[in-house]
Amino acid sequence: MNTSTPTTPDAVDPRHFTSFAEFYPFYLTEHANVTCRRLHFAGSTISLLCFVALVVTLNPWWLLAGLVAGYGFAWVGHFGFEKNRPASFKRPLYSFMGDWAMYRDIWAGKVKI
């Protein structure tokens, strides 16, 4: 009797990736929903604006605002639309890098929103 579970995209553990180059294609599959990608894009844009405000005003509250905006929008996208858990819970650095790689790729037209 085979009691193993089949491998599905949901069963992929992001901790098994040994490089960002391996991780990024998985990251994109976790962002298949266009609304989720749009929310990531909006959150990242607001985070960049908060970073500019931090540099201009030297007010550290802008750092908190940027983190809340970036992760808040992304998590609404994942829990509300993508129906998955953000990879940032298991692979925070690669996930953070993936956010900005996807942001770049959206601007470059490689990822559609």
Side-chain angles (χ1 to χ4, degrees):
M1 179 172 162
N2 184 357
T3 59
S4 65
T5 57
T7 303
T8 64
D10 292 333
V12 174
D13 185 349
R15 292 176 290 201
H16 89 273
F17 296 106
T18 59
S19 71
F20 180 72
E22 290 176 355
F23 175 81
Y24 188 55
F26 163 76
Y27 179 87
L28 291 176
T29 66
E30 295 289 292
H31 298 82
N33 181 283
V34 69
T35 303
C36 181
R37 289 193 306 270
R38 288 176 179 162
L39 286 166
H40 271 69
F41 186 81
S44 295
T45 301
I46 293 168
S47 291
L48 285 174
L49 294 172
C50 289
F51 179 74
V52 170
L54 169 69
V55 170
V56 170
T57 66
L58 300 177
N59 182 339
W61 285 106
W62 285 112
L63 178 61
L64 178 62
L67 290 170
V68 168
Y71 284 106
F73 276 76
W75 290 355
V76 167
H78 282 286
F79 294 120
F81 297 94
E82 198 70 58
K83 306 294 186 203
N84 63 14
R85 285 186 62 176
S88 60
F89 293 154
K90 291 188 177 180
R91 203 59 193 224
L93 179 59
Y94 280 177
S95 182
F96 182 77
M97 292 166 61
D99 287 342
W100 294 108
M102 186 172 70
Y103 189 77
R104 174 202 63 213
D105 289 347
I106 288 170
W107 275 110
K110 296 178 185 176
V111 173
K112 303 292 181 212
I113 61 166

